[in-house]
Amino acid sequence: MADEHSFDIVSKVDMQEVLNSVQQATKEISQRFDFKASKSSIEFNKDKAEITVISDDEQKMKSVIDILQSKFAKRGVSLKSLVYGKVEQAAGGTARQVITLQQGIVQEKAKEIVKILKDSKMKVQAEIQKDQVRVRAKKIDDLQTVMTMLRGKDLGIHMEFINYR
C-alpha cells in the first residue's frame, strides 16, 4: 500500500469567510447612497448553510447579490458553491431569494467525475465516499494529470483536492 498514492476531491466552503463576506456586503449596502431608503438586507444562517437576500424589488436584489458575489470573490469563496433559489414575493412588497451553500459533492456529480476518469483510460481508480471522491494511482504523475484534467473541465461545482499523499 505504500507504493500507492491518493487524494480526495471535495467541495467545501469556509463558513468563516462566508460570514466575513456577508458582514462586509451588509456594511457596504448600509453605506451606499442608492440603498438609503431601501429595505435591502442579507441574513446568513450558518446551521442551514443558507443566505437570505431581501430587497425592495428584483432589480435592487440583483445589485445586492452582485455586491455579495464581489465580496465572496475577494475572500476566496468560490461562486460555484452557491445554489440560487427562485425569487419570491415577501411581506411588505419586498422580494426574497435564498442562496444555499453547497457542502459536499452531490451523488450525480461524483458519478460524473468517476465516469470522466474511467473514460480517460488513465491508470487511476476512483471511488465515491459519501460526499467526496477518492482517487488512487501508483504514480504521482497520474494523480497530477487527473487534477489538471478536472480543473480544465467545468462541472458546475467547486472542487478542492485534499489529502494528497
Side-chain angles (χ1 to χ4, degrees):
M1 202 66 182
D3 61 343
E4 193 168 83
H5 307 282
S6 68
F7 69 87
D8 296 331
I9 304 170
V10 297
S11 179
K12 297 218 184 306
V13 178
D14 186 357
M15 288 299 181
Q16 186 61 46
E17 291 298 334
V18 172
L19 179 63
N20 293 342
S21 301
V22 168
Q23 288 173 343
Q24 285 180 343
T26 303
K27 185 176 180 183
E28 181 173 331
I29 289 168
S30 70
Q31 292 175 345
R32 279 185 44 170
F33 178 75
D34 51 341
F35 288 106
K36 280 296 180 212
S38 169
K39 297 176 187 169
S40 299
S41 68
I42 304 170
E43 298 166 10
F44 176 52
N45 186 335
K46 194 172 186 176
D47 298 330
K48 292 183 180 179
E50 287 182 345
I51 300 169
T52 305
V53 178
I54 300 171
S55 193
D56 294 338
D57 54 29
E58 284 189 47
Q59 198 62 35
K60 275 213 162 75
M61 181 174 293
K62 284 187 169 100
S63 298
V64 171
I65 290 174
D66 285 345
I67 293 168
L68 188 61
Q69 287 176 343
S70 72
K71 300 303 177 193
F72 282 151
K74 284 181 184 174
R75 299 200 72 85
V77 177
S78 175
L79 297 180
K80 288 183 179 180
S81 61
L82 303 175
V83 180
Y84 296 91
K86 64 179 186 179
V87 177
E88 307 165 342
Q89 292 302 317
T94 59
R96 173 185 16 193
Q97 186 173 21
V98 176
I99 303 169
T100 308
L101 297 164
Q102 182 179 356
Q103 293 285 59
I105 299 175
V106 289
Q107 204 68 23
E108 296 86 40
K109 291 293 181 182
K111 287 178 183 176
E112 188 178 337
I113 291 170
V114 171
K115 184 180 182 315
I116 288 170
L117 295 178
K118 283 185 179 178
D119 291 347
S120 71
K121 305 282 192 235
M122 294 179 65
K123 294 183 180 180
V124 296
Q125 294 85 37
E127 60 186 54
I128 300 170
Q129 297 178 339
K130 292 185 182 174
D131 61 350
Q132 66 184 23
V133 178
R134 174 156 292 163
V135 181
R136 300 177 201 267
K138 293 213 180 280
K139 296 181 183 174
I140 290 180
D141 293 344
D142 290 343
L143 292 180
Q144 290 173 339
T145 306
V146 166
M147 285 183 197
T148 305
M149 180 180 65
L150 288 175
R151 280 190 187 109
K153 299 224 182 266
D154 184 23
L155 298 172
I157 60 170
H158 169 66
M159 288 187 292
E160 289 180 28
F161 306 108
I162 62 169
N163 296 337
Y164 183 64
R165 298 181 202 128

